[in-house]
Amino acid sequence: DDNNHFWIVMELLSGGDLETRIEKNRPTPQESVAIIRAVAEGLAFAHNKGVIHREIKPMNILFNADGVPKLVDFGIAKLVQSRQSVVLTREGLSLGSPTYMSPEQAAGSKHIDKRADIYALGITFYKMLVGEAPFTGDIAEVMAQHITQAPQEPKAINASVSDEINAVVVKML
């Protein structure tokens, strides 16, 4: 305004989070596709602006009152500027939720790019289709599994997953 006051305005997201939706009434494969597509569009916008989210997970996907998904919590995001990146963390430090970490994040690599977000979105998609994440155990076990194992394909666990959807998830992972 004219008095040099600054405001932060945020949308009210009263529709809950994706984690709760998965636990209460897991979305169908078709509903999952629609949610992932909307989140991927938002993520593509961030990536085109040079921002890597680094914390994609169902708890960071909220819904507005109309059921439109929104990606939130850019608290550990990284800004990539040309050939350099602005990093606020030390090299070798793994940030994020181990269940959704890309192999590079789990290994503590300083070379994290948008593919880490795509991988985490793939793990989220997998959980929506199957009901659980592909890797389980304690933190160290889960991180090691991301680095050393390929998850079982969603279609092998949930027969209602089409070949096309299965192929997309496999490609994301």
Side-chain angles (χ1 to χ4, degrees), residues 12 22 29 42 48 81 95 103 115 119-120 125 129 159 164:
L12 175 62
I22 293 169
N48 287 335
Q81 297 176 335
L95 289 178
R115 293 173 292 181
Y119 181 89
F125 200 1
L129 297 169
E164 295 81 6

Side-chain angles (χ1 to χ4, degrees), residues 3-173:
N3 297 320
N4 292 324
H5 291 101
F6 297 95
W7 303 90
I8 296 176
V9 178
M10 298 185 305
E11 180 178 3
L12 175 62
L13 299 173
S14 60
D17 63 70
L18 181 57
E19 183 72 25
T20 303
R21 284 191 183 199
I22 293 169
E23 290 172 6
K24 288 187 175 181
N25 188 19
R26 193 173 64 201
T28 67
Q30 293 72 28
E31 291 167 336
S32 297
V33 167
I35 292 167
I36 292 298
R37 178 178 287 138
V39 173
E41 288 173 0
L43 195 54
F45 181 84
H47 289 166
N48 287 335
K49 298 294 183 186
V51 175
I52 309 301
H53 190 281
R54 301 195 306 169
E55 184 74 286
I56 306 292
K57 60 184 180 179
M59 289 181 67
N60 285 340
I61 299 171
L62 303 180
F63 296 87
N64 68 15
D66 295 327
V68 177
K70 306 285 184 162
L71 181 60
V72 301
D73 193 0
F74 283 76
I76 65 168
K78 179 173 86 169
L79 177 62
V80 179
Q81 297 176 335
S82 64
R83 295 194 177 271
Q84 299 178 332
S85 62
V86 177
V87 182
L88 303 176
T89 58
R90 293 180 309 205
E91 180 178 341
L93 180 65
S94 296
L95 289 178
S97 299
T99 301
Y100 301 92
M101 276 187 184
S102 69
E104 296 79 12
Q105 279 179 287
S109 173
K110 66 177 183 174
H111 301 289
I112 304 297
D113 62 26
K114 66 184 178 181
R115 293 173 292 181
D117 285 345
I118 294 167
Y119 181 89
L121 190 59
I123 295 288
T124 299
F125 200 1
Y126 187 103
K127 185 172 183 176
M128 293 171 71
L129 297 169
V130 173
E132 60 185 32
F135 303 123
T136 58
D138 65 29
I139 292 172
E141 290 171 331
V142 170
M143 291 172 75
Q145 290 169 10
H146 281 292
I147 295 168
T148 63
Q149 296 179 21
Q152 187 174 13
E153 293 187 10
K155 187 173 180 70
I157 301 167
N158 180 354
S160 70
V161 174
S162 70
D163 290 339
E164 295 81 6
I165 293 172
N166 191 72
V168 169
V169 174
V170 169
K171 176 109 174 139
M172 293 173 82
L173 302 180

